[in-house]
Amino acid sequence: IIKIVLQPLIENAIVHGIFEKPSKSGCLKVTSRRSADGIRITVEDDGMGMDQDTVLNNFSSKESPAHTVTSSGYGIRNVQERLRLAYGAPYGLTCVSRPGKGTVVTVYIPAVMP
C-alpha cells in the first residue's frame, strides 16, 4: 500500500468522530480482508457520524462548486487521489456514515500475487 493512507483515516475517526461525542470516548476498529479482486481495509468508529452532504463533500472524487471541502476533507481527498493515481479505478475510498451512529471508511486496493 502507498504511504500515509491509514493515518489520516484513523486520525479523522478519532478527532472528528469519537472526540466530538459528549463522552469523548468510543471504539475504533481497523480490519483487513483479502478477496479474489483485491484487499479491503476498513476503519470503523462509533463516533458522531456524518450526514450524506458531508460524506459527499469529503469523499467525492470531483471538485464541485456546490460542495465545500472541510479541513478534514482535504486529507481524505488527498488519500483518494493518491490511491486512484497509484492503482487506477475502481480502487480508492468509500464511506458509509450515519449521524449519531458512526462511520465506516473502506480502502480498496489491488491484491499483489506473489
Side-chain angles (χ1 to χ4, degrees), residues 29-106:
K29 182 167 76 170
V30 180
T31 58
S32 63
R33 176 173 49 102
R34 182 177 178 169
S35 61
D37 63 340
I39 296 171
R40 285 179 174 76
I41 304 167
T42 60
V43 177
E44 180 176 359
D45 68 70
D46 64 352
M48 292 299 292
M50 297 176 276
D51 60 30
Q52 190 59 31
D53 282 343
T54 304
V55 171
L56 289 173
N57 285 340
N58 291 332
F59 288 86
S60 173
S61 59
K62 294 185 178 183
E63 291 287 339
S64 167
H67 294 133
T68 305
V69 181
T70 65
S71 59
S72 64
Y74 284 114
I76 297 300
R77 277 192 194 221
N78 184 12
V79 170
Q80 176 75 301
E81 289 174 16
R82 289 175 45 243
L83 288 168
R84 292 278 167 90
L85 283 172
Y87 305 118
Y91 302 105
L93 301 176
T94 57
C95 178
V96 176
S97 189
R98 293 185 359 204
K101 300 292 182 186
T103 302
V104 178
V105 176
T106 301

